[in-house]
Amino acid sequence: MEAQLTRPELDVLPSYLPSPIPLDSSGAPQAPDAARLALNELPFGPLPGVLDAIVAAAGGSNRYPDMAAVALRNALADHHGVTPDRIVTGFGSVYLLELLLKAVCEPGQEFIFPWRSYEAYPVVAVGGNVRPVQVPCADDFSQDLDAMAAAITADTRVALICNPNNPTSTAVTRAELTKFIDSVPESVLVVLDEAYCEFVTDPDVPDGLVEYGDRRNVVVLRTMSKAWGLAGLRLGWLAAAPEVANAMRKLLAPFATSTFAEVAALAALEQEKEVRRRVDFITAERARMFPALKALVPRAPASQANFFWLPMPDPAAFAAHCAAGGVLIRDFPEAARVTIGTSAENDRFLAVTATAGKLLAAG
């Protein structure tokens, strides 16, 4: 019998699903005219100044970036009203979450998170050598914080709330979140994954950094991939207590923030007014589309993100129907997730959805 060369728990760990955007042999998207509503990207180009910053930095691409990302950490700290010693940056918030688990958890300790939620959470748990504990969402697809609190044991080290939640689009209110954080032992880190926080319009949904950022056991995850339009450059950041952030920086992969990601983020941070204009467009489209979708899919929850969650009997068949109509969406076993795009893309999706017929029955 051959010796196993890899960790046995990886044998049953689902792989991260490939992009639903079909690519040709050169890596270019096939069906370039299709509406790309599958990956929660913004449909707009880079923010003003971003391309110029990248081009200017290209001349020094033979040099390593600043390993400590000092300029970016200072800019993020100033922008969000925190101190730089609390900021950690890296190539995506998922990477930073796994790094956090490695920095604060002993092997075998528990990492609690809602389910369904972001599919990378079970992966980073195994990568961080901690035990994933999935707490089912409620019937209305909201995160059940009472059940999460009840699931905490002496072995729990980290409890995560995704707010708004990907892929269900629901958000946790201030009262619910405050009650949960107040109930958690101080030895448990509460991670607030706020990748989509810029799209929140419900005043009862808090900004975790503003409301809870001063709490020693709260960590706030953010990304520049969504509202800030830097998905292709992979730039995530978090704010944590200084001792947590310092421990994480000891484990950072060398040069985890590339030169291009840093200069692009610095340029993007100068464009908050334009970011708000773009976000306002997305949330207006969200409000316009939702009544039509709710009529077709009655169980669809109201979204606080830049996408919709559409429960239905056969999401894969619905995704195929949409693809045939020139719209690329993301299907999960129990629902379809649809990103909000341009007005023309959204109209195309609504038209395709209106012809889906029995595929949406009992949704």
Side-chain angles (χ1 to χ4, degrees):
M1 183 176 180
E2 291 185 340
Q4 180 159 346
L5 300 180
T6 60
R7 292 168 57 186
E9 59 264 43
L10 298 183
D11 294 341
V12 297
L13 184 69
S15 297
Y16 195 96
L17 293 176
S19 169
I21 308 299
L23 307 176
D24 63 23
S25 59
S26 69
Q30 296 179 15
D33 295 330
R36 291 180 49 152
L37 306 182
L39 294 176
N40 294 347
E41 307 153 320
L42 280 196
F44 317 110
L47 289 162
V50 167
L51 285 181
D52 290 341
I54 293 172
V55 170
S61 58
N62 59 307
R63 304 296 185 183
Y64 283 114
D66 173 16
M67 189 166 178
V70 171
L72 179 56
R73 287 172 52 212
N74 286 341
L76 287 167
D78 182 65
H79 190 86
H80 293 280
V82 299
T83 54
D85 61 341
R86 297 179 55 201
I87 302 291
V88 184
T89 68
F91 39 80
S93 57
V94 172
Y95 163 71
L96 293 177
L97 176 59
E98 183 171 341
L99 195 71
L100 174 69
L101 295 178
K102 291 177 179 177
V104 305
C105 297
E106 298 289 339
Q109 287 187 315
E110 294 175 347
F111 167 41
I112 292 179
F113 52 90
W115 197 255
R116 179 172 295 272
S117 192
Y118 188 33
E119 64 201 284
Y121 296 152
V123 177
V124 298
V126 174
N129 206 25
V130 299
R131 187 163 74 87
V133 178
Q134 299 179 356
V135 178
C137 288
D139 290 341
D140 62 357
F141 310 109
S142 64
Q143 297 167 87
D144 189 339
L145 267 57
D146 287 340
M148 288 187 66
I152 291 175
T153 72
D155 292 326
T156 302
R157 190 68 181 93
V158 175
L160 180 143
I161 297 165
C162 187
N163 205 32
N165 188 37
N166 177 26
T168 69
S169 79
T170 58
V172 174
T173 67
R174 180 178 293 100
E176 294 170 316
L177 194 51
T178 300
K179 176 184 174 184
F180 176 80
I181 294 174
D182 286 345
S183 72
V184 168
E186 291 186 2
S187 60
V188 174
L189 280 182
V190 178
V191 176
L192 305 179
D193 186 344
E194 297 187 334
Y196 300 93
C197 65
E198 291 88 352
F199 301 101
V200 171
T201 55
D202 183 348
D204 288 334
V205 177
D207 178 319
L209 195 56
V210 172
E211 300 271 349
Y212 313 106
D214 60 341
R215 301 204 186 199
R216 186 167 170 264
N217 68 327
V218 172
V219 177
V220 180
L221 273 175
R222 296 282 179 91
T223 182
M224 303 291 284
S225 293
K226 309 302 180 186
W228 298 87
L230 301 182
L233 289 171
R234 309 304 303 129
L235 195 286
W237 63 277
L238 62 72
E243 60 265 41
V244 174
N246 184 56
M248 290 182 63
R249 282 192 288 271
K250 291 180 180 181
L251 297 176
L252 269 174
F255 312 107
T257 303
S258 75
T259 297
F260 298 124
E262 180 165 22
V263 298
L266 289 170
L269 287 170
E270 298 293 326
Q271 297 293 327
E272 186 168 17
K273 184 176 180 180
E274 174 61 14
V275 170
R276 177 44 53 194
R277 187 190 70 81
R278 296 180 179 196
V279 167
D280 287 347
F281 171 85
I282 294 296
T283 57
E285 284 292 286
R286 184 177 74 194
R288 176 178 76 90
M289 296 171 69
F290 185 62
L293 294 173
K294 186 72 170 177
L296 293 167
V297 187
R299 293 189 65 217
S303 174
Q304 285 295 310
N306 68 328
F307 54 86
F308 295 107
W309 180 245
L310 305 176
M312 62 186 64
D314 193 344
F318 177 68
H321 172 79
C322 290
V327 180
L328 304 178
I329 67 168
R330 178 68 183 277
D331 61 283
F332 291 79
E334 68 274 39
R337 190 192 68 191
V338 183
T339 306
I340 300 164
T342 65
S343 294
E345 290 173 332
N346 298 335
D347 286 342
R348 188 191 301 186
F349 170 67
L350 290 174
V352 170
T353 301
T355 64
K358 293 182 180 180
L359 292 175
L360 301 178

